[in-house]
Amino acid sequence: MTKLTIVELKLLTREPGAMFSLLIPLFILVVFGSSIEPGDTTLLPMALSIAVGLVGLYLLPTTMAAYRERGILRRLSTTPVRPGNLLVVQLLLQLVLALTACALLLVVAGTVLGAHLPTRVLPGVLAFLFGTAAMFAIGLLIAAVAPNGRSANGIGVLLYFPMSYLAGLIQPTDQMPDIVARIGEYTPLGAFRQSLRDVWVGGAPSPLLLAVMAAYALVISVAAAKFFRWE
């Protein structure tokens, strides 16, 4: 398991998509961060949501579908290293990547931009874990149904942009029709962004939104397990 983790980590560091997932949210934060007020509670939660969304909807499904397409999962089934171990390692590494991207955003925002950071850690951790679980579940479902890595990439992109719009990551929710903004709040990415913003304004994530993200994570994970194919 350790050797597999080391090998997969080396492959991940060479993956252009990993760098893309790190730099795009940082670019958005820096470009727009120069014009925000010190007490802004909107931009950083948006950037964090974008970072996790990119990893969950783009990098994770593309990697897993490509492994199946190349026959790597099938070949692993004939060795002592079971395909399930690879799935666990990939999930852990993608989680580490998402954590790294978010940590980079927080450091740059807090030190360079002087952005507002929340003082309550536990609510932020809860929002992050529930939101990441929901986004990763969607990524696994994409990997389960996509015939190859390119298809997984395309499906992830097609899902990412409408979900980002509904979540208020492309257009502020106060500039959207009320019904659209309300619907978007109960999408996985929308619930995640709103939960983070609740933390940033000094509160705690809504129990309803946490339940929504948990439901997405559970139901979609079950669907992903049902449809996932190793070869």
Side-chain angles (χ1 to χ4, degrees):
M1 195 74 166
T2 302
K3 291 183 178 179
L4 179 62
T5 302
I6 294 173
V7 171
E8 289 301 312
L9 179 59
K10 290 180 179 179
L11 292 175
L12 182 62
T13 57
R14 299 170 188 169
E15 172 60 48
M19 190 61 63
F20 176 85
S21 300
L22 287 172
L23 295 182
I24 290 299
L26 183 61
F27 174 78
I28 293 172
L29 177 69
V30 172
V31 168
F32 292 98
S34 58
S35 61
I36 64 172
E37 298 178 357
D40 180 76
T41 58
T42 300
L43 181 60
L44 192 47
M46 287 175 57
L48 294 170
S49 301
I50 290 171
V52 174
L54 286 174
V55 174
L57 295 179
Y58 169 72
L59 192 58
L60 174 61
T62 300
T63 301
M64 293 306 301
Y67 276 13
R68 184 175 59 243
E69 177 187 6
R70 297 170 190 164
I72 294 174
L73 298 180
R74 176 177 53 80
R75 290 196 293 270
L76 280 176
S77 65
T78 64
T79 71
V81 181
R82 308 302 299 176
N85 292 345
L86 178 61
L87 177 59
V88 172
V89 168
Q90 273 297 321
L91 285 173
L92 290 176
L93 290 179
Q94 301 291 346
L95 176 59
V96 170
L97 178 61
L99 285 169
T100 302
C102 291
L104 182 61
L105 291 170
L106 291 171
V107 169
V108 172
T111 58
V112 178
L113 301 178
H116 168 72
L117 298 178
T119 56
R120 302 179 64 188
V121 177
L122 182 57
V125 171
L126 284 176
F128 176 84
L129 291 177
F130 278 74
T132 301
M135 300 312 299
F136 276 29
I138 299 173
L140 288 174
L141 181 59
I142 295 172
V145 300
N148 51 55
R150 181 172 296 181
S151 297
N153 190 331
I155 295 171
V157 170
L158 286 175
L159 283 177
Y160 180 78
F161 284 102
M163 287 180 64
S164 294
Y165 173 75
L166 289 172
L169 302 181
I170 296 177
Q171 181 178 359
T173 54
D174 58 6
Q175 298 178 16
M176 297 165 59
D178 290 342
I179 184 63
V180 175
R182 190 65 176 171
I183 292 172
E185 189 174 336
Y186 294 97
T187 62
L189 198 54
F192 184 32
R193 182 203 62 79
Q194 183 58 48
S195 295
L196 288 176
R197 190 174 186 280
D198 290 341
V199 174
W200 249 253
V201 299
S206 163
L208 176 59
L209 293 184
L210 290 179
V212 167
M213 291 186 287
Y216 277 121
L218 178 61
V219 173
I220 298 176
S221 293
V222 170
K226 178 177 177 61
F227 293 110
F228 197 86
R229 294 168 290 120
W230 295 110
E231 57 180 312

